[in-house]
Structures are given as C-alpha cells and as structure tokens.
Amino acid sequence: MEVNEQYVSPFYPHIIDVFPSVVRKLWKKKQVLLLDIRTPMEYEDHHIPGALLVPLDYLDILLHKIQHKEVAVICEHGNRARYATYGMPELWKGKKVYYMISGMAGWMQMGYEVTSGMDENGKLWEKWLEELQ
C-alpha cells in the first residue's frame, strides 16, 4: 500500500492509526468502509457521505454483519474510535482496521466532504438489531 501506515502496538498489528487525509485517500479509492460509531443524532447532524452508522453501544453484537476486510473507525474526536479499536481488539479479527486520529472534528477541520440528515446507511444498524430478536 502506498499510504503511510503507523502501527502503534505490536500486539495488534491489524489496527493502524491514520490521519483523516489517509482515510480520505483510502475512501476515494474505495479501499475502505467508513464505520461511524457515533450516536444516530450525531450522524444525522453531520457525517461523511457513504459512512455506515453502527453506534458504539451495538458494535460488538453487529460487527459480524460487516463483510469488508478494511474498515476505518470514526467518531467525533477520536476517543470512542480509539476505545472501539484498541479497547475491543478481539472484535476485529480478520479485518484491517484504521483508527482515524482526531475523528470527524479533524476531518471537518481539513475541509473534507460532510453531509447531514439520516440516510439508509444511518438506519441499517436498526434493521440488523431487529433481525437478532
């Protein structure tokens, strides 16, 4: 891969810390799924076009629905995404996971694409939850 990758922990070589610029390059090349782990209210207010919402509270029970092998985990400032990756590394077996440093705040500070409103990608997690019941 031509993108600079930063492996923070030798214990989790499948989790890579990257800046929003790297996530954007991967996204533009359709090499990564953007996984927004914020709340539905935050997603509706602003999100990256095409991002898939799976709120952090449901990530552990819904992650098996995501078939992509490369995932960028996104939250508002980077704290929840850091927890979702390094705090729950067992969830990500078999996937290459990018922890987006600085979250949506960093993405927007760079002037990158943002949209608002609730779309199909913002509601899919609710359908998955219903299927589990």
Side-chain angles (χ1 to χ4, degrees), residues 6-110:
Q6 180 181 352
Y7 292 88
V8 174
S9 170
F11 301 106
Y12 307 121
H14 61 294
I15 302 173
I16 305 152
D17 291 11
V18 294
F19 291 104
S21 58
V22 174
V23 171
R24 187 170 183 268
K25 285 177 189 171
L26 294 168
W27 172 59
K28 288 290 188 179
K29 292 180 179 181
K30 299 185 184 334
Q31 293 178 322
V32 68
L33 169 75
L34 302 177
L35 182 61
D36 193 323
I37 62 165
R38 299 175 303 151
T39 66
M41 191 169 73
E42 289 172 300
Y43 181 92
E44 188 171 7
D45 186 64
H46 60 281
H47 62 272
I48 301 169
L52 176 65
L53 175 65
V54 177
L56 179 59
D57 290 345
Y58 301 99
L59 189 60
D60 58 338
I61 60 172
L62 296 178
L63 190 62
H64 71 279
K65 293 284 198 175
I66 297 171
Q67 302 301 314
H68 293 75
K69 293 294 181 197
E70 294 194 23
V71 178
V73 181
I74 301 162
C75 67
E76 192 64 31
H77 297 284
N79 299 322
R80 284 173 281 181
R82 189 163 207 39
Y83 172 75
T85 54
Y86 290 100
M88 300 189 284
E90 67 283 352
L91 289 181
W92 306 102
K93 295 227 188 285
K95 295 186 187 302
K96 189 174 195 177
V97 183
Y98 298 95
Y99 156 66
M100 189 169 88
I101 300 166
S102 74
M104 285 298 298
W107 180 275
M108 292 186 302
Q109 192 172 31
M110 296 300 293

